[in-house]
């Protein structure tokens, strides 16, 4: 919206008549509609003198309201300021709920906060449904939300939908509360009995807008795509069926959306092929499939389950690059040398015939010298070895330019056939996993560079510089370990990489990479190519997973228009702007759901161990206690009142609890022995006490 010519003119206050004279090509009704659109987005305001200007000119900004579960709140401006989140006093919340987009007026700060604000208008409600438990309150029924960040909601007798006290339900909000009247709602779905893992998972999915069934129209369209490639369509494409192309995925993968190839060129270089399932050929703009993909934004994964962005007829069928069958692809063909330099690149709609379905496990074993597998895949072994060498060279070049190696071990929850958690393991990443990651990064960067240099619309993946305050806090914590991090020089990523390298083999520093990750900005999607801090990449977007991410599908559409010489329109730019916002929002919802569901499964896994003792270390410090982490990554809370022998004070700037008499300090990395006292699969709460 900020590209709007009307918005750009309002850098200074103007009356409607002045705007109209400056824009003679716009009709009066068009100008009114554009002003309303910008006003509804919180980008402009009109003062009492009927002058329009940027909201910032009047001391206001659009922001996301962040409730705390207490009377006060915070707000995160759309345009992040160096001061960070804005404090919202109890009387200044304006009836906003957690996650709402609001128009915020910045007011003089008090109470020691850097910035303070008041909600003057709610721009957009974050959700129309809230999940929680039906409870009785006097003679009435209420919804007690699963999150304390939302208020209780009155459920009128005729709106219970058969729900009983003790049921976990989703409630449609009919009235958000105003003038002293409480919020009211109607039960939209009964999710199960409160306290069960299944009901809690269903509630988390529901409150994050994640749905399982596809629309009938999208299922029919997916089925109509058939199971075989149309020969006429294949004939119109770059034919790569004679090339040695294969997929490399996890052992349990069911869909394969990327394949790779590496072939020598006459000039001594190599052509690296990254071949991506051509989802955009089947999912056309405005179709039922496109509507579903847009609404979902991304596939969602949690232990033993996947909720796909596209129906299985596509994701596991015609768009899955299965071996020994023809498949339509969008190929990135990159000229590289074995020192990791990239020379030229081109993109083409193609048709391939995958020679093999390889797994990370088998390729890793081949690279480690497994004789039986090397014999079985003898024709491919030289390619695997060249690919591994190329990937290592490109990774080295990426690190030399300042990329961060944020390869923090990820825990994996193992479930049995019944879906019950039976183990928690760290996921290993071998040469094969890193090989595919490097090649996907190369293709993503090339696609972004191609579109940005041409000035074409696109959905980019961007990552801003870290917040200086957060980086300073990290620098303070890293200092006792011998690191000197200059927070005023965030572009010097080598000082951060030194911390990551030093922490790899020292158990006492295990928390440092996670702390650094928390101090960095969150990556997002944008219609502007502003670069990727963590990758030290000037150009970056997501091109390689259109089966499971909508922005990749959008990138394919823009790339195809570019390589075929089609004319871009204002509609394309608007689409990219809106797709970036929608994709960021849906990614955040999916991440939230996956994280919260993992907590439930971890609590279910730990439940049989209640009463047992474990070695742990402090992973985070809060005013109310310590979060401690076990060697298997399970994290739980030690409440401050459970800490023995002293009264502990929270020192925020040092992220520690300090005993007032003893001076003993609990800080991140402090080891301690704990006993598990509670583990609740219904809410994911795990409680420990010190031994």
């Amino acid at each position: 919206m900020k590209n709007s010519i009307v918005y750009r003119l309002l850098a200074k206050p103007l009356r409607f008549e002045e705007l109209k004279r400056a824009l003679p090509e716009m009709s009066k009704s068009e100008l009114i509609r554009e002003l309303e659109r910008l006003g509804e987005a919180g980008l402009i305001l009109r003062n009492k003198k009927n002058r329009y200007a940027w909201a910032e000119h009047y001391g206001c900004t659009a922001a996301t309201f962040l409730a705390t579960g207490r009377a006060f709140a915070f707000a995160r401006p759309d345009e992040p300021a160096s001061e960070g989140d804005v404090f919202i006093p109890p009387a200044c919340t304006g009836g906003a709920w957690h996650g709402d987009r609001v128009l915020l007026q910045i007011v003089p700060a008090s109470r020691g906060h850097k910035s303070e604000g008041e909600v003057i208008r709610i721009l957009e409600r974050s959700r129309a449904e809230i999940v929680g438990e039906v409870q009785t309150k006097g003679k009435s029924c209420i919804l007690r939300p699963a999150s304390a960040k939302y208020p209780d909601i009155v459920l009128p007798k005729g709106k219970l939908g058969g729900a009983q006290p003790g049921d976990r339900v989703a409630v449609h909000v009919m009235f958000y509360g105003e003038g002293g009247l409480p919020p009211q709602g109607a039960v939209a779905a009964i999710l199960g009995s409160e306290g069960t893992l299944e009901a809690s998972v269903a509630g988390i999915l529901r409150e994050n807008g994640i749905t399982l069934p596809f629309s009938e129209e999208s299922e029919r369209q997916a089925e109509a795509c058939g199971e075989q490639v149309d020969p006429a369509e294949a004939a119109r494409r770059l034919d790569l069926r004679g090339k040695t192309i294969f997929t490399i995925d996890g052992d349990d993968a069911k869909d394969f959306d990327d394949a790779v190839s590496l072939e020598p060129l006459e000039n001594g270089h190599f052509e690296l092929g990254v071949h991506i399932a051509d989802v955009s050929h089947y999912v056309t703009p405005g179709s039922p499939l496109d509507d579903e993909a847009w609404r979902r934004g991304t596939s969602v994964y949690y232990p033993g389950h996947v909720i796909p962005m596209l129906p299985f007829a596509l994701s596991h069928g015609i768009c899955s690059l299965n071996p020994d069958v023809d498949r339509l692809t969008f190929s990135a063909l990159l000229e590289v040398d074995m020192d990791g330099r990239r020379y030229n690149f081109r993109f083409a709609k193609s048709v391939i015939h995958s020679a093999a379905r390889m797994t990370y496990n088998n390729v890793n074993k081949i690279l480690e010298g497994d004789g039986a597998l090397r014999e079985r895949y003898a024709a491919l072994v030289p390619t695997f070895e060249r690919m591994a060498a190329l990937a290592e060279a490109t990774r080295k070049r990426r690190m030399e330019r300042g990329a961060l190696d944020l390869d923090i071990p990820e825990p994996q929850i193992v479930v049995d056939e019944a879906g019950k958690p039976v183990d928690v393991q760290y996921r290993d990443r071998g040469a094969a996993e890193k090989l595919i990651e490097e090649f996907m990064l190369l293709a993503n960067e090339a696609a972004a560079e191609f579109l940005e240099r041409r000035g074409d619309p696109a959905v980019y993946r961007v990552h801003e510089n870290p917040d200086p305050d957060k980086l300073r806090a990290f620098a303070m914590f890293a200092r006792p370990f011998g690191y000197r991090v200059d927070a005023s020089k965030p572009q010097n990523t080598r000082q951060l990489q030194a911390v990551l390298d030093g922490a790899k083999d020292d158990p006492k520093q295990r928390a440092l990479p996670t702390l650094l990750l928390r101090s960095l900005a969150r990556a997002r999607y944008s219609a502007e190519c502003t670069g990727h801090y963590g990758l030290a990449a000037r150009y970056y977007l997501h091109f390689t997973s259109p089966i499971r991410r909508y922005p990749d599908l959008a990138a394919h559409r823009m790339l195809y228009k570019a390589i075929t010489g089609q004319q871009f329109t204002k509609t394309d730019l608007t689409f990219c702007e809106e797709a970036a916002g929608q994709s960021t929002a849906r990614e955040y919802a999916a991440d939230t759901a996956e994280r919260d569901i993992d907590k439930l499964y971890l609590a279910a896994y730990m439940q049989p161990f209640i009463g047992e003792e474990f070695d742990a270390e402090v992973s985070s410090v809060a005013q109310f206690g310590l979060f401690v982490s076990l060697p298997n990554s399970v994290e739980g809370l030690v409440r401050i009142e459970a800490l023995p022998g002293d009264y502990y004070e929270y020192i925020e700037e040092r992220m520690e609890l300090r005993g007032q008499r003893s001076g003993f300090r609990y800080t991140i990395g402090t080891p301690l022995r704990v006993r598990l006292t509670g583990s609740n699969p219904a809410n994911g709460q795990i409680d420990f006490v010190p031994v």
Side-chain angles (χ1 to χ4, degrees):
M1 289 187 183
K2 290 190 173 182
N3 290 321
S4 162
I5 189 172
V6 175
Y7 177 81
R8 293 199 298 269
L9 284 171
L10 293 176
K12 62 179 182 179
L14 293 174
R15 293 180 180 275
F16 182 88
E17 295 78 11
E18 294 172 309
L19 269 174
K20 186 68 187 71
R21 284 197 296 272
L23 298 167
E25 69 279 5
M26 290 185 75
S27 68
K28 185 176 180 180
S29 60
E30 287 175 334
L31 181 55
I32 290 173
R33 281 197 300 271
E34 183 64 8
L35 290 171
E36 288 175 347
R37 187 174 78 100
L38 293 169
E40 289 170 359
L43 294 176
I44 65 169
L45 285 176
R46 184 178 66 177
N47 67 5
K48 292 180 181 179
K49 296 182 179 180
N50 286 324
R51 293 182 183 274
Y52 296 89
W54 290 352
E56 291 81 359
H57 184 81
Y58 299 122
C60 298
T61 184
T64 300
F65 188 81
L66 304 172
T68 63
R70 288 171 280 180
F72 64 88
F74 292 90
R76 182 163 297 153
D78 289 358
E79 298 292 336
S82 59
E83 294 83 6
D85 293 347
V86 179
F87 177 76
I88 311 295
C92 299
T93 61
W97 287 16
H98 181 69
D100 289 350
R101 288 196 73 255
V102 298
L103 187 62
L104 201 66
Q105 183 157 38
I106 306 301
V107 300
S110 61
R111 304 175 183 83
H113 296 285
K114 292 182 179 178
S115 56
E116 197 167 306
E118 178 181 359
V119 175
I120 60 174
R121 191 200 312 165
I122 296 170
L123 301 173
E124 184 181 0
R125 291 289 185 180
S126 64
R127 59 184 57 204
E129 273 192 1
I130 302 292
V131 171
E133 180 186 1
V134 177
Q135 295 183 358
T136 55
K137 189 174 184 179
K139 294 182 179 180
S140 303
C141 280
I142 63 164
L143 177 83
R144 179 62 50 83
S147 170
K149 293 178 180 179
Y150 299 99
D152 291 348
I153 300 172
V154 174
L155 302 174
K157 287 184 179 179
K159 302 296 183 180
L160 285 168
Q164 300 294 322
D167 285 346
R168 177 161 284 225
V169 299
V171 164
H172 177 74
V173 182
M174 301 184 298
F175 174 62
Y176 286 89
E178 189 177 346
L181 296 174
Q184 292 189 18
V187 173
I190 300 173
L191 305 174
S193 298
E194 184 67 22
T196 63
L197 175 64
E198 293 75 17
S200 296
V201 169
I204 289 171
L205 293 174
R206 183 101 184 190
E207 66 188 1
N208 285 287
I210 298 166
T211 54
L212 279 71
F214 287 90
S215 67
E216 292 183 7
E217 295 85 354
S218 65
E219 290 278 17
R220 281 199 296 269
Q221 186 185 356
E223 294 289 346
C225 292
E227 298 178 359
Q228 296 181 338
V229 167
D230 177 11
E233 177 60 32
R236 288 191 285 267
R237 294 174 170 244
L238 177 64
D239 194 341
L240 301 176
R241 286 175 288 192
K243 304 288 186 180
T244 302
I245 297 173
F246 47 83
T247 61
I248 308 178
D249 292 276
D251 286 24
D252 55 354
K254 300 293 189 298
D255 56 351
F256 319 113
D257 59 354
D258 58 79
V260 290
S261 61
L262 186 65
E263 297 198 333
L265 297 172
E266 291 182 357
N267 62 1
H269 296 165
F270 287 83
E271 184 175 77
L272 170 65
V274 178
H275 315 279
I276 308 301
D278 189 7
V279 178
S280 63
H281 176 75
Y282 300 99
V283 182
T284 52
S287 65
L289 277 173
D290 189 43
D291 291 344
E292 280 282 355
W294 172 278
R295 183 173 60 82
R296 292 167 183 253
T298 180
S299 296
V300 180
Y301 303 86
Y302 63 95
H305 297 78
V306 58
I307 301 174
M309 185 181 80
L310 295 169
F312 281 94
L314 282 181
S315 60
H316 288 56
I318 192 65
C319 287
S320 183
L321 307 183
N322 300 324
D324 303 321
V325 292
D326 291 352
R327 286 291 183 260
L328 302 182
T329 46
F330 206 151
S331 294
L333 301 167
L334 317 172
E335 183 183 343
V336 297
D337 66 18
M338 293 306 292
D339 288 328
R341 296 183 188 86
R342 190 198 73 196
Y343 294 89
N344 299 309
F345 57 81
R346 60 192 174 106
F347 295 89
K349 289 284 186 110
S350 53
V351 56
I352 69 166
H353 193 92
S354 175
R357 180 274 201 259
M358 300 301 302
T359 66
Y360 293 133
N361 191 31
N362 280 349
V363 174
N364 283 328
K365 288 180 178 177
I366 288 170
L367 294 173
E368 292 164 5
D370 185 295
L373 285 172
R374 290 177 73 88
E375 183 177 347
R376 178 181 173 186
Y377 295 105
L380 299 178
V381 168
T383 302
F384 295 148
E385 292 176 338
R386 278 196 297 269
M387 283 183 168
L390 173 61
E392 182 58 33
T394 57
R395 181 187 179 281
K396 182 181 178 183
R397 285 189 171 276
R398 186 162 54 84
M399 301 307 295
E400 287 173 349
R401 78 186 186 196
L404 293 174
D405 183 11
L406 290 166
D407 186 16
I408 300 173
E410 293 182 24
Q412 180 178 12
I413 302 168
V414 181
V415 297
D416 60 17
E417 292 182 357
K420 179 182 176 182
V422 294
D423 198 5
V424 181
Q425 305 169 348
Y426 279 105
R427 187 181 284 111
D428 290 329
R429 294 181 72 253
E433 287 89 342
K434 295 175 181 178
L435 176 160
I436 291 297
E437 178 183 325
E438 289 299 325
F439 293 172
M440 298 305 118
L441 290 175
L442 284 173
N444 288 339
E445 288 187 44
E449 182 175 345
F450 179 75
L451 288 167
E452 171 64 9
R453 284 185 178 277
R454 286 171 49 93
D456 295 333
V459 177
Y460 296 97
R461 182 68 167 177
V462 301
H463 188 210
E464 283 89 1
N465 288 356
D467 175 82
D469 286 345
K470 291 182 178 179
L471 200 56
R472 272 191 289 272
F474 172 76
M476 185 180 297
F477 183 80
R479 190 164 194 145
F481 294 95
Y483 300 107
R484 295 293 182 266
V485 175
D486 187 348
S488 68
K489 298 178 180 178
Q491 290 304 114
N492 179 13
T493 53
R494 286 175 176 78
Q495 61 180 341
L496 304 181
Q497 188 58 47
V499 180
L500 295 171
D501 292 339
K504 280 181 180 177
D505 301 318
D506 186 352
K508 294 180 181 179
Q509 300 182 42
R510 186 161 46 192
L512 284 177
T514 302
L515 278 177
L516 175 57
L517 189 60
R518 291 174 185 170
S519 73
L520 301 181
R522 182 186 175 90
R524 61 184 177 87
Y525 296 103
S526 172
E528 296 182 44
C529 184
T530 57
H532 196 291
Y533 176 81
L535 295 171
R538 182 179 175 186
Y539 310 100
Y540 196 69
L541 57 67
H542 279 163
F543 163 78
T544 52
S545 293
I547 280 181
R548 62 180 181 90
R549 289 188 307 225
Y550 195 86
D552 303 55
L553 178 59
H556 280 218
R557 289 175 181 166
M558 298 302 107
L559 270 171
Y560 182 62
K561 291 195 75 167
I563 65 175
T564 53
Q566 297 181 49
Q567 189 70 35
F568 286 94
T569 65
K570 186 178 179 181
T571 302
D572 294 315
L573 178 59
T574 301
F575 164 73
C576 289
E577 290 175 341
E578 293 176 350
Q582 169 72 356
S583 298
T584 298
R586 295 316 305 155
E587 178 188 58
Y588 182 79
D591 288 349
T592 301
E594 290 171 358
R595 183 178 63 249
D596 291 347
I597 292 174
D598 279 354
K599 290 178 181 177
L600 303 184
Y601 275 81
L602 289 172
Y605 170 71
M606 291 300 292
Q607 202 169 34
F609 303 106
I610 291 176
E612 295 189 20
E613 296 181 5
F614 302 90
D615 288 319
E617 66 177 34
V618 176
S619 57
S620 185
V621 181
Q623 196 163 10
F624 49 83
L626 309 169
F627 287 96
V628 298
S629 179
L630 305 188
N632 65 358
S633 83
V634 171
E635 191 175 64
L637 175 65
V638 175
R639 300 179 188 277
I640 193 169
E641 57 267 24
L643 297 176
D646 207 339
Y647 178 80
Y648 287 87
E649 181 184 8
Y650 179 52
I651 314 296
E652 183 177 7
E653 62 271 16
R654 297 187 64 87
M655 296 180 69
E656 69 180 29
L657 289 176
R658 182 186 300 165
Q660 290 191 343
R661 292 193 304 272
S662 65
F664 184 81
R665 299 181 304 128
Y666 287 101
T667 187
I668 294 175
T670 300
L672 69 164
R673 184 81 174 167
V674 295
R675 180 184 300 112
L676 179 64
T677 58
S679 192
N680 188 345
N683 60 18
Q685 181 68 45
I686 298 175
D687 291 298
F688 295 101
V689 295
V691 175

mmCIF file with all atom_site columns, all heavy atoms in Angstrom, residues 152-166:
data_model
loop_
_atom_site.group_PDB
_atom_site.id
_atom_site.type_symbol
_atom_site.label_atom_id
_atom_site.label_alt_id
_atom_site.label_comp_id
_atom_site.label_asym_id
_atom_site.label_entity_id
_atom_site.label_seq_id
_atom_site.pdbx_PDB_ins_code
_atom_site.Cartn_x
_atom_site.Cartn_y
_atom_site.Cartn_z
_atom_site.occupancy
_atom_site.B_iso_or_equiv
_atom_site.pdbx_formal_charge
_atom_site.auth_seq_id
_atom_site.auth_comp_id
_atom_site.auth_asym_id
_atom_site.auth_atom_id
_atom_site.pdbx_PDB_model_num
ATOM 1   N N   . ASP A 1 152 ? -12.670 -13.952 29.476 1.00 0.00 ? 152 ASP A N   1
ATOM 2   C CA  . ASP A 1 152 ? -13.775 -14.909 29.517 1.00 0.00 ? 152 ASP A CA  1
ATOM 3   C C   . ASP A 1 152 ? -14.903 -14.410 28.613 1.00 0.00 ? 152 ASP A C   1
ATOM 4   O O   . ASP A 1 152 ? -15.117 -13.194 28.462 1.00 0.00 ? 152 ASP A O   1
ATOM 5   C CB  . ASP A 1 152 ? -14.294 -15.063 30.942 1.00 0.00 ? 152 ASP A CB  1
ATOM 6   C CG  . ASP A 1 152 ? -13.288 -15.756 31.850 1.00 0.00 ? 152 ASP A CG  1
ATOM 7   O OD1 . ASP A 1 152 ? -12.309 -16.313 31.330 1.00 0.00 ? 152 ASP A OD1 1
ATOM 8   O OD2 . ASP A 1 152 ? -13.488 -15.742 33.081 1.00 0.00 ? 152 ASP A OD2 1
ATOM 9   N N   . ILE A 1 153 ? -15.616 -15.365 28.019 1.00 0.00 ? 153 ILE A N   1
ATOM 10  C CA  . ILE A 1 153 ? -16.688 -15.030 27.081 1.00 0.00 ? 153 ILE A CA  1
ATOM 11  C C   . ILE A 1 153 ? -17.986 -15.663 27.581 1.00 0.00 ? 153 ILE A C   1
ATOM 12  O O   . ILE A 1 153 ? -18.028 -16.873 27.863 1.00 0.00 ? 153 ILE A O   1
ATOM 13  C CB  . ILE A 1 153 ? -16.360 -15.537 25.667 1.00 0.00 ? 153 ILE A CB  1
ATOM 14  C CG1 . ILE A 1 153 ? -15.065 -14.899 25.163 1.00 0.00 ? 153 ILE A CG1 1
ATOM 15  C CG2 . ILE A 1 153 ? -17.504 -15.256 24.702 1.00 0.00 ? 153 ILE A CG2 1
ATOM 16  C CD1 . ILE A 1 153 ? -14.549 -15.482 23.858 1.00 0.00 ? 153 ILE A CD1 1
ATOM 17  N N   . VAL A 1 154 ? -19.022 -14.856 27.710 1.00 0.00 ? 154 VAL A N   1
ATOM 18  C CA  . VAL A 1 154 ? -20.326 -15.358 28.148 1.00 0.00 ? 154 VAL A CA  1
ATOM 19  C C   . VAL A 1 154 ? -20.953 -16.175 27.022 1.00 0.00 ? 154 VAL A C   1
ATOM 20  O O   . VAL A 1 154 ? -20.946 -15.767 25.855 1.00 0.00 ? 154 VAL A O   1
ATOM 21  C CB  . VAL A 1 154 ? -21.256 -14.190 28.544 1.00 0.00 ? 154 VAL A CB  1
ATOM 22  C CG1 . VAL A 1 154 ? -22.658 -14.703 28.854 1.00 0.00 ? 154 VAL A CG1 1
ATOM 23  C CG2 . VAL A 1 154 ? -20.682 -13.437 29.740 1.00 0.00 ? 154 VAL A CG2 1
ATOM 24  N N   . LEU A 1 155 ? -21.513 -17.353 27.393 1.00 0.00 ? 155 LEU A N   1
ATOM 25  C CA  . LEU A 1 155 ? -22.186 -18.225 26.430 1.00 0.00 ? 155 LEU A CA  1
ATOM 26  C C   . LEU A 1 155 ? -23.672 -18.269 26.772 1.00 0.00 ? 155 LEU A C   1
ATOM 27  O O   . LEU A 1 155 ? -24.087 -18.949 27.717 1.00 0.00 ? 155 LEU A O   1
ATOM 28  C CB  . LEU A 1 155 ? -21.591 -19.639 26.484 1.00 0.00 ? 155 LEU A CB  1
ATOM 29  C CG  . LEU A 1 155 ? -20.085 -19.752 26.217 1.00 0.00 ? 155 LEU A CG  1
ATOM 30  C CD1 . LEU A 1 155 ? -19.617 -21.179 26.451 1.00 0.00 ? 155 LEU A CD1 1
ATOM 31  C CD2 . LEU A 1 155 ? -19.755 -19.312 24.798 1.00 0.00 ? 155 LEU A CD2 1
ATOM 32  N N   . PRO A 1 156 ? -24.517 -17.527 26.046 1.00 0.00 ? 156 PRO A N   1
ATOM 33  C CA  . PRO A 1 156 ? -25.959 -17.563 26.318 1.00 0.00 ? 156 PRO A CA  1
ATOM 34  C C   . PRO A 1 156 ? -26.512 -18.985 26.181 1.00 0.00 ? 156 PRO A C   1
ATOM 35  O O   . PRO A 1 156 ? -25.960 -19.816 25.443 1.00 0.00 ? 156 PRO A O   1
ATOM 36  C CB  . PRO A 1 156 ? -26.540 -16.638 25.244 1.00 0.00 ? 156 PRO A CB  1
ATOM 37  C CG  . PRO A 1 156 ? -25.400 -15.743 24.851 1.00 0.00 ? 156 PRO A CG  1
ATOM 38  C CD  . PRO A 1 156 ? -24.176 -16.593 24.961 1.00 0.00 ? 156 PRO A CD  1
ATOM 39  N N   . LYS A 1 157 ? -27.600 -19.262 26.871 1.00 0.00 ? 157 LYS A N   1
ATOM 40  C CA  . LYS A 1 157 ? -28.153 -20.628 26.899 1.00 0.00 ? 157 LYS A CA  1
ATOM 41  C C   . LYS A 1 157 ? -28.434 -21.176 25.511 1.00 0.00 ? 157 LYS A C   1
ATOM 42  O O   . LYS A 1 157 ? -28.206 -22.348 25.226 1.00 0.00 ? 157 LYS A O   1
ATOM 43  C CB  . LYS A 1 157 ? -29.427 -20.647 27.743 1.00 0.00 ? 157 LYS A CB  1
ATOM 44  C CG  . LYS A 1 157 ? -29.175 -20.519 29.240 1.00 0.00 ? 157 LYS A CG  1
ATOM 45  C CD  . LYS A 1 157 ? -30.465 -20.647 30.031 1.00 0.00 ? 157 LYS A CD  1
ATOM 46  C CE  . LYS A 1 157 ? -30.190 -20.542 31.540 1.00 0.00 ? 157 LYS A CE  1
ATOM 47  N NZ  . LYS A 1 157 ? -31.437 -20.646 32.322 1.00 0.00 ? 157 LYS A NZ  1
ATOM 48  N N   . GLY A 1 158 ? -28.939 -20.349 24.635 1.00 0.00 ? 158 GLY A N   1
ATOM 49  C CA  . GLY A 1 158 ? -29.280 -20.828 23.298 1.00 0.00 ? 158 GLY A CA  1
ATOM 50  C C   . GLY A 1 158 ? -28.095 -20.964 22.369 1.00 0.00 ? 158 GLY A C   1
ATOM 51  O O   . GLY A 1 158 ? -28.258 -21.332 21.198 1.00 0.00 ? 158 GLY A O   1
ATOM 52  N N   . LYS A 1 159 ? -26.893 -20.674 22.854 1.00 0.00 ? 159 LYS A N   1
ATOM 53  C CA  . LYS A 1 159 ? -25.702 -20.689 22.008 1.00 0.00 ? 159 LYS A CA  1
ATOM 54  C C   . LYS A 1 159 ? -24.680 -21.742 22.436 1.00 0.00 ? 159 LYS A C   1
ATOM 55  O O   . LYS A 1 159 ? -23.534 -21.700 22.011 1.00 0.00 ? 159 LYS A O   1
ATOM 56  C CB  . LYS A 1 159 ? -25.037 -19.307 22.016 1.00 0.00 ? 159 LYS A CB  1
ATOM 57  C CG  . LYS A 1 159 ? -25.937 -18.174 21.554 1.00 0.00 ? 159 LYS A CG  1
ATOM 58  C CD  . LYS A 1 159 ? -26.340 -18.332 20.083 1.00 0.00 ? 159 LYS A CD  1
ATOM 59  C CE  . LYS A 1 159 ? -27.172 -17.156 19.612 1.00 0.00 ? 159 LYS A CE  1
ATOM 60  N NZ  . LYS A 1 159 ? -27.567 -17.299 18.180 1.00 0.00 ? 159 LYS A NZ  1
ATOM 61  N N   . LEU A 1 160 ? -25.105 -22.702 23.255 1.00 0.00 ? 160 LEU A N   1
ATOM 62  C CA  . LEU A 1 160 ? -24.168 -23.721 23.734 1.00 0.00 ? 160 LEU A CA  1
ATOM 63  C C   . LEU A 1 160 ? -23.960 -24.854 22.739 1.00 0.00 ? 160 LEU A C   1
ATOM 64  O O   . LEU A 1 160 ? -22.964 -25.584 22.819 1.00 0.00 ? 160 LEU A O   1
ATOM 65  C CB  . LEU A 1 160 ? -24.652 -24.292 25.069 1.00 0.00 ? 160 LEU A CB  1
ATOM 66  C CG  . LEU A 1 160 ? -24.448 -23.381 26.285 1.00 0.00 ? 160 LEU A CG  1
ATOM 67  C CD1 . LEU A 1 160 ? -25.217 -23.907 27.494 1.00 0.00 ? 160 LEU A CD1 1
ATOM 68  C CD2 . LEU A 1 160 ? -22.974 -23.256 26.605 1.00 0.00 ? 160 LEU A CD2 1
ATOM 69  N N   . GLY A 1 161 ? -24.882 -25.041 21.821 1.00 0.00 ? 161 GLY A N   1
ATOM 70  C CA  . GLY A 1 161 ? -24.717 -26.057 20.788 1.00 0.00 ? 161 GLY A CA  1
ATOM 71  C C   . GLY A 1 161 ? -24.537 -27.464 21.329 1.00 0.00 ? 161 GLY A C   1
ATOM 72  O O   . GLY A 1 161 ? -23.861 -28.288 20.705 1.00 0.00 ? 161 GLY A O   1
ATOM 73  N N   . GLY A 1 162 ? -25.130 -27.739 22.480 1.00 0.00 ? 162 GLY A N   1
ATOM 74  C CA  . GLY A 1 162 ? -25.010 -29.078 23.063 1.00 0.00 ? 162 GLY A CA  1
ATOM 75  C C   . GLY A 1 162 ? -23.792 -29.268 23.932 1.00 0.00 ? 162 GLY A C   1
ATOM 76  O O   . GLY A 1 162 ? -23.579 -30.339 24.504 1.00 0.00 ? 162 GLY A O   1
ATOM 77  N N   . ALA A 1 163 ? -22.948 -28.248 24.063 1.00 0.00 ? 163 ALA A N   1
ATOM 78  C CA  . ALA A 1 163 ? -21.741 -28.383 24.887 1.00 0.00 ? 163 ALA A CA  1
ATOM 79  C C   . ALA A 1 163 ? -22.094 -28.396 26.365 1.00 0.00 ? 163 ALA A C   1
ATOM 80  O O   . ALA A 1 163 ? -23.055 -27.746 26.799 1.00 0.00 ? 163 ALA A O   1
ATOM 81  C CB  . ALA A 1 163 ? -20.780 -27.240 24.584 1.00 0.00 ? 163 ALA A CB  1
ATOM 82  N N   . GLN A 1 164 ? -21.313 -29.133 27.129 1.00 0.00 ? 164 GLN A N   1
ATOM 83  C CA  . GLN A 1 164 ? -21.505 -29.255 28.567 1.00 0.00 ? 164 GLN A CA  1
ATOM 84  C C   . GLN A 1 164 ? -20.270 -28.708 29.283 1.00 0.00 ? 164 GLN A C   1
ATOM 85  O O   . GLN A 1 164 ? -19.175 -28.686 28.725 1.00 0.00 ? 164 GLN A O   1
ATOM 86  C CB  . GLN A 1 164 ? -21.713 -30.726 28.953 1.00 0.00 ? 164 GLN A CB  1
ATOM 87  C CG  . GLN A 1 164 ? -22.907 -31.400 28.301 1.00 0.00 ? 164 GLN A CG  1
ATOM 88  C CD  . GLN A 1 164 ? -24.225 -30.809 28.775 1.00 0.00 ? 164 GLN A CD  1
ATOM 89  O OE1 . GLN A 1 164 ? -24.362 -30.466 29.952 1.00 0.00 ? 164 GLN A OE1 1
ATOM 90  N NE2 . GLN A 1 164 ? -25.189 -30.682 27.866 1.00 0.00 ? 164 GLN A NE2 1
ATOM 91  N N   . PRO A 1 165 ? -20.442 -28.280 30.539 1.00 0.00 ? 165 PRO A N   1
ATOM 92  C CA  . PRO A 1 165 ? -19.261 -27.873 31.316 1.00 0.00 ? 165 PRO A CA  1
ATOM 93  C C   . PRO A 1 165 ? -18.212 -28.987 31.320 1.00 0.00 ? 165 PRO A C   1
ATOM 94  O O   . PRO A 1 165 ? -18.534 -30.158 31.504 1.00 0.00 ? 165 PRO A O   1
ATOM 95  C CB  . PRO A 1 165 ? -19.832 -27.633 32.715 1.00 0.00 ? 165 PRO A CB  1
ATOM 96  C CG  . PRO A 1 165 ? -21.262 -27.232 32.462 1.00 0.00 ? 165 PRO A CG  1
ATOM 97  C CD  . PRO A 1 165 ? -21.701 -28.067 31.287 1.00 0.00 ? 165 PRO A CD  1
ATOM 98  N N   . GLY A 1 166 ? -16.973 -28.601 31.075 1.00 0.00 ? 166 GLY A N   1
ATOM 99  C CA  . GLY A 1 166 ? -15.895 -29.584 30.984 1.00 0.00 ? 166 GLY A CA  1
ATOM 100 C C   . GLY A 1 166 ? -15.502 -29.910 29.565 1.00 0.00 ? 166 GLY A C   1
ATOM 101 O O   . GLY A 1 166 ? -14.459 -30.534 29.335 1.00 0.00 ? 166 GLY A O   1
#
